[in-house]
Amino acid sequence: MRTLCSSTLIGEFFIIGFAGLVAMKDPSLAMSTVWLVCGIAMALSVLLCGMVTRPGGVALGWALQLALIVSGVFVPMMYIMGAVFAALWWASVHYGRKVDEAKARFAAERAAAQ
């Protein structure tokens, strides 16, 4: 699960950065505010890569997905990108857990065979 979720989070890191560049063009938003919010979100996406397998890591990932969708208020394309990454996050968590279960099952079978 860690590999799939981390890949999704690193992709989000770049998307958040690009959304910050787009948001800078909005004259009603202060550049310092845009980069403060984007910087926090980008740092959170990188930190979550190491926290995915810990308790609450997946829930924080879902919170980040929700924040990406809500950021569509300022950058409308983020409604779509947020939804795409929320779907990728779901797939990463769902299939990552299945892969982890299969690995554990194969390891137990190999240990029993020896």
Side-chain angles (χ1 to χ4, degrees), residues 32-54:
S32 60
T33 304
V34 168
W35 287 114
L36 177 67
V37 172
C38 287
I40 290 170
M42 291 169 77
L44 181 62
S45 68
V46 171
L47 291 173
L48 277 173
C49 289
M51 294 177 52
V52 168
T53 56
R54 295 188 180 183

Side-chain angles (χ1 to χ4, degrees), residues 4-97:
L4 291 174
C5 290
S6 293
S7 298
T8 301
L9 290 166
I10 293 300
E12 287 179 9
F13 173 86
F14 290 106
I15 292 300
I16 293 166
F18 291 137
L21 292 172
V22 172
M24 273 187 2
K25 303 259 182 197
D26 188 345
S28 66
L29 299 174
M31 189 183 314
S32 60
T33 304
V34 168
W35 287 114
L36 177 67
V37 172
C38 287
I40 290 170
M42 291 169 77
L44 181 62
S45 68
V46 171
L47 291 173
L48 277 173
C49 289
M51 294 177 52
V52 168
T53 56
R54 295 188 180 183
V58 173
L60 283 173
W62 279 116
L64 181 62
Q65 306 316 311
L66 181 62
L68 281 180
I69 294 170
V70 171
S71 70
V73 170
F74 303 104
V75 179
M77 181 55 95
M78 289 305 290
Y79 285 126
I80 296 168
M81 295 306 297
V84 166
F85 274 95
L88 285 171
W89 182 252
W90 175 84
S92 297
V93 170
H94 179 75
Y95 292 112
R97 285 183 176 154

